[in-house]
Amino acid sequence: MSAKILVVEDEPAIQELIAFNLKLSGYTVLRAENAEDAMAMIKEVLPDLILLDWMLPHMSGVEFASILRREVRTRTIPIIMLTARVEENDKIKGLEIGADDYMTKPFSPRELIARIKAVLRRRLPELSDDVIETSGLRLDPATHRVTVHDHEIALGPTEFRLLHFLMTHAERVYSRGQLLDHVWGDHVFLEDRTVDVHILRLRKALEVVKKEKMVQTIRGTGYRFTAGTEGHL
Ligand code: CA
C-alpha cells in the first residue's frame, strides 16, 4: 500500500522537487503551499505523513504542527519538519512540538526518502514492505503472499491488509473502530460488524494451517494478534 504524503511548502521549486522524488519512490503526493490549505486538505483526506516547511506565510509550520498535535484526528500523523534554519534551538523546538524528524535545507532527495522510510517504518509498520514472520506464519507485502512452511494461504485483499496490520501490531488490542480507521481508512463509514465479517474470513483461511488462534477475540474490547497460541491449542 503506498503511503499518502502531504507536502506543505511555499517555495514552488522545492515543492516540485520534493513531489517529483516522492512520486518516483512510489508515494502518493498531496501538496499545499500554506498551513490553511493544508488544513482544508486534511479535512478531506488524512495523510500518512506530513513534510512540513518551518517558514510558511501566515501561520508558521511550527504553529501548524502544534494544532495538528492537539486535534484527536491528526494527533498521531508523523511529521517531518523542513527548515532552512540551522540553530540547534530551533531543532529542539521542532522536536518538542512533536515532530518525528527534522531536516535542514538543502538536503538530498535520497536522504529525504531515507528519513521518510525510517519514520514510516517506525510509526506505520503496516505500510512497509518488510516481510514479517510470527510463529511460522509469514507475510510478504511485496509479493502479497501469506505462507506457512511454503504452504500458501489464499486471502482476499481486505483480509490481507487486516492480517498485515495485526501482525505489525502484535499483542496489542484494537477495537473494531480502530481497525476500521487503520485498515479500511479514514472517513469510511462502515459498521463495526464489517470487521467481524472479515475477521471471520481471516480465521477461516488461517484454519487450514491451524493458525486461526493467533487472531484472538477480546470480549467487550476487540481483537488481538498473538504469537503465543501454544497454551490455547
Ligand atoms: Ca518556506
Side-chain angles (χ1 to χ4, degrees):
M1 198 157 83
S2 96
K4 285 187 290 292
I5 300 182
L6 171 60
V7 183
V8 190
E9 167 64 71
D10 61 319
E11 285 161 71
I14 299 179
Q15 191 199 80
E16 184 60 40
L17 180 73
I18 294 174
F20 174 80
N21 281 284
L22 292 180
K23 282 182 201 155
L24 210 62
S25 299
Y27 295 112
T28 303
V29 184
L30 307 163
R31 310 193 207 186
E33 52 190 56
N34 56 56
E36 293 77 8
D37 286 358
M39 191 75 92
M41 244 173 223
I42 291 171
K43 288 213 166 80
E44 298 297 318
V45 185
L46 206 58
D48 296 308
L49 183 144
I50 301 175
L51 291 179
L52 182 57
D53 185 26
W54 183 295
M55 300 291 278
L56 291 168
H58 322 298
M59 190 192 292
S60 79
V62 172
E63 283 173 74
F64 184 45
S66 27
I67 290 175
L68 293 172
R69 285 295 177 255
R70 281 201 299 270
E71 305 273 332
V72 174
R73 193 167 158 261
T74 54
R75 186 177 288 165
T76 59
I77 304 176
I79 297 174
I80 299 179
M81 297 289 306
L82 308 176
T83 180
R85 303 155 67 137
V86 288
E87 290 98 39
E88 192 63 21
N89 267 350
D90 286 347
K91 183 168 183 173
I92 292 164
K93 197 168 157 199
L95 296 174
E96 265 177 359
I97 51 104
D100 292 82
D101 205 351
Y102 181 100
M103 291 197 75
T104 307
K105 295 176 194 173
F107 46 78
S108 75
R110 181 187 282 202
E111 194 193 347
L112 177 66
I113 300 294
R115 299 279 195 100
I116 290 173
K117 278 191 179 154
V119 169
L120 287 177
R121 183 166 286 143
R122 190 171 74 237
R123 298 284 306 277
L124 301 164
E126 72 274 19
L127 292 177
S128 119
D129 267 352
D130 295 346
V131 170
I132 337 162
E133 186 159 355
T134 310
S135 306
L137 183 67
R138 187 177 192 275
L139 182 143
D140 185 345
T143 61
H144 230 264
R145 278 200 174 118
V146 178
T147 49
V148 173
H149 306 304
D150 294 332
H151 179 94
E152 192 170 339
I153 301 152
L155 287 182
T158 306
E159 287 73 37
F160 185 89
R161 274 189 287 131
L162 186 56
L163 182 61
H164 193 191
F165 180 80
L166 290 171
M167 286 181 82
T168 47
H169 298 82
E171 311 302 336
R172 269 191 265 170
V173 182
Y174 285 91
S175 70
R176 290 163 176 85
Q178 286 173 321
L179 289 172
L180 282 175
D181 278 347
H182 290 293
V183 179
W184 278 261
D186 188 63
H187 279 201
V188 177
F189 297 96
L190 293 167
E191 288 179 54
D192 287 0
R193 203 157 53 81
T194 308
V195 177
D196 301 335
V197 169
H198 289 277
I199 287 278
L200 203 70
R201 284 189 200 156
L202 176 59
R203 281 208 186 112
K204 268 205 122 42
L206 293 175
E207 246 174 50
V208 181
V209 287
K210 301 204 165 35
K211 297 287 184 194
E212 75 281 4
K213 293 209 169 72
M214 293 180 98
V215 180
Q216 301 181 320
T217 303
I218 310 302
R219 200 180 290 268
T221 310
Y223 296 102
R224 170 172 65 200
F225 181 85
T226 186
T229 58
E230 287 74 15
H232 306 280
L233 288 170

